[in-house]
Amino acid sequence: MDGAPSRVLHIRKLPGEVTETEVIALGLPFGKVTNILMLKGKNQAFLELATEEAAITMVNYYSAVTPHLRNQPIYIQYSNHKELKTDNTLNQRAQAVLQAVTAVQTANTPLSGTTVSESAVTPAQSPVLRIIIDNMYYPVTLDVLHQIFSKFGAVLKIITFTKNNQFQALLQYGDPVNAQQAKLALDGQNIYNACCTLRIDFSKLVNLNVKYNNDKSRDYTRPDLPSGDGQPALDPAIAAAFAKETSLLAVPGALSPLAIPNAAAAAAAAAAGRVGMPGVSAGGNTVLLVSNLNEEMVTPQSLFTLFGVYGDVQRVKILYNKKDSALIQMADGNQSQLAMNHLNGQKMYGKIIRVTLSKHQTVQLPREGLDDQGLTKDFGNSPLHRFKKPGSKNFQNIFPPSATLHLSNIPPSVAEEDLRTLFANTGGTVKAFKFFQRDHKMALLQMATVEEAIQALIDLHNYNLGENHHLRVSFSKSTI
């Protein structure tokens, strides 16, 4: 990123088939684009922004997050030119695209004349976008969408839902122009590496009616709306934490193709504890080394249950010569990163455990016929994996260990007193209990400390309550 700042940027290593529209879209989030010159033969382009300030913001941003076009990294630096002098006949097509985009940026009137090339855009009237997410390998939350789409203007309302087994959202801007810019820049982009592809169209609706502010829908113009039952609204403290976390978690190249300011979206998701840390591909290290365990108490099963809150544990091996340490193999690198982030420094059986990435690539099973005293266990085929089903609700309910537990799959015959007694028997104190208003199959239960809650989750997740109901226990972000 050498050279003196200039409002003209030099872009290199462009994929051969890239269009002017795609190059312009790189600059749109940072301000008005005033000119473009494509050097197709050299796979380069010059992009001129209206102000030097916008160009500086763009260069600073892309020096932290590598920009991608068509899944290829590209390079952006200041040009030696202070402005672009382009020959209009040579550059007619690019100018036409630019004219179309500029018209969209400045006014919401259909363009007169037909000089605009087919790759340009025609303004649509609706400020509401319909968003479908294809190839949803990781959950995409309402907060992630808000982070991504806010780059193009004020997002007023979002409603998320599942239709035809696909996660979809309706998102309303204050101005149709912002919707147009967002569609131009984001349609077809991936939120995370090679997955969660955005498919964006204009909705026929021009206004969204949001009744509740919760994880599924939000009206940012009306913070006073109720959350609706069983859908805790986003706690303001958590929202503030997201805002703080986002800058800390910015990881270069995190969002590969979808460059988002300081990787905020992935960071918000990671801060909410819902997906693996950005920048760690699913191919990352899957094996964790856990040390300072209570060797009198720990078993492969207890580690499977606790680490299973953050991913599908494949194998556990307590080390034969060092029984206060264990290797845990997760299903992918994101899950191991997530488990490490949430469990390192937590107390298990009275000892503060340390969790780091191991240098081992897999956990070896003992040789046939060799008895290792039950220290190694293969959980590959366990029916208790929480994340086997893509898009499962469990993805959206991954939270750091907390004193409050979320219980589900409670049979109708089991009363509050039964559950209080059951959890008190794990050696802790039950401080509070609340059934969900609309759904008595679910409840929140608060223990005196996080350590007691961890113990209770290890002891009682999958506990048989009778009537073929096995209790499901996870950490909650709510308090009672």
Side-chain angles (χ1 to χ4, degrees), residues 4 29 61 65 71 75 90 169 178 191 228 258 299 353 474:
Y61 171 56
V65 177
N71 284 338
Y75 299 90
L90 278 177
N178 302 131
I191 298 179
L258 232 201
T299 61
I353 63 171
S474 46

Coordinates of all heavy atoms in Angstrom, one line a residue, residues 4 29 61 65 71 75 90 169 178 191 228 258 299 353 474:
A4 N 1.7 7.9 -2.2 CA 1.0 9.0 -1.5 C -0.5 8.8 -1.8 O -0.9 8.3 -2.9 CB 1.4 10.3 -2.1
P29 N -19.2 1.0 -1.3 CA -19.5 1.2 0.1 C -18.7 2.3 0.7 O -19.1 2.8 1.8 CB -19.0 -0.2 0.8 CG -19.0 -1.1 -0.4 CD -18.7 -0.3 -1.6
Y61 N -9.1 -0.1 4.7 CA -10.0 -1.3 5.0 C -9.5 -2.5 4.3 O -9.3 -3.6 4.9 CB -11.4 -0.9 4.6 CG -12.3 -2.2 4.7 CD1 -12.3 -2.8 5.9 CD2 -12.9 -2.7 3.6 CE1 -13.0 -4.0 6.0 CE2 -13.6 -3.9 3.7 CZ -13.6 -4.5 4.9 OH -14.3 -5.7 5.0
V65 N -8.4 -6.5 5.3 CA -9.3 -7.6 4.8 C -9.0 -7.8 3.3 O -9.4 -6.9 2.6 CB -10.8 -7.3 5.1 CG1 -11.6 -8.4 4.5 CG2 -11.0 -7.1 6.5
N71 N -13.9 -15.2 -6.1 CA -13.1 -16.1 -5.3 C -11.5 -15.9 -5.5 O -10.8 -16.8 -5.1 CB -13.5 -17.5 -5.4 CG -14.8 -17.8 -4.7 OD1 -15.1 -17.0 -3.8 ND2 -15.5 -18.8 -5.1
Y75 N -5.5 -7.0 -5.6 CA -4.6 -6.1 -4.8 C -5.0 -4.6 -5.2 O -5.2 -4.3 -6.4 CB -3.2 -6.4 -5.1 CG -2.8 -7.8 -4.7 CD1 -3.0 -8.9 -5.6 CD2 -2.5 -8.1 -3.4 CE1 -2.8 -10.2 -5.2 CE2 -2.3 -9.4 -3.0 CZ -2.5 -10.4 -3.9 OH -2.3 -11.7 -3.5
L90 N -12.9 5.0 -26.1 CA -12.3 3.7 -25.7 C -13.1 3.1 -24.5 O -13.1 2.0 -24.3 CB -10.9 4.0 -25.2 CG -9.8 4.1 -26.3 CD1 -8.5 4.5 -25.6 CD2 -9.7 2.8 -27.0
A169 N -34.5 -14.0 4.3 CA -34.7 -12.7 5.1 C -35.3 -11.7 4.2 O -35.1 -11.7 3.0 CB -33.4 -12.2 5.7
N178 N -30.3 2.6 -1.5 CA -29.4 1.8 -0.7 C -29.6 0.3 -1.0 O -28.7 -0.5 -1.1 CB -29.6 2.0 0.8 CG -29.4 3.5 1.2 OD1 -30.3 4.0 1.9 ND2 -28.3 4.1 0.8
I191 N -20.6 -15.1 2.5 CA -20.4 -14.5 3.7 C -19.1 -15.0 4.4 O -18.3 -14.3 4.9 CB -21.6 -14.7 4.7 CG1 -22.8 -14.0 4.1 CG2 -21.3 -14.0 6.1 CD1 -24.1 -14.1 4.9
G228 N -41.9 -11.0 22.4 CA -42.6 -12.2 22.1 C -42.2 -13.4 23.0 O -41.0 -13.4 23.4
L258 N -16.5 -11.8 0.9 CA -17.3 -10.7 1.3 C -16.6 -9.8 2.2 O -16.5 -10.1 3.4 CB -18.6 -11.2 2.0 CG -19.9 -10.7 1.4 CD1 -21.0 -10.8 2.4 CD2 -19.8 -9.3 0.9
T299 N -13.6 -38.1 32.9 CA -13.8 -39.4 32.0 C -13.9 -38.9 30.6 O -14.3 -37.7 30.3 CB -15.1 -40.1 32.4 OG1 -16.2 -39.3 32.1 CG2 -15.1 -40.6 33.9
I353 N -9.4 -25.4 33.8 CA -8.8 -26.1 32.7 C -8.2 -25.2 31.6 O -8.6 -24.1 31.5 CB -9.8 -27.1 32.0 CG1 -11.0 -26.3 31.4 CG2 -10.4 -28.1 33.0 CD1 -11.9 -27.2 30.5
S474 N -28.4 -27.0 27.6 CA -27.3 -26.1 27.0 C -27.2 -24.8 27.8 O -28.0 -24.6 28.7 CB -27.6 -25.8 25.5 OG -28.9 -25.5 25.4

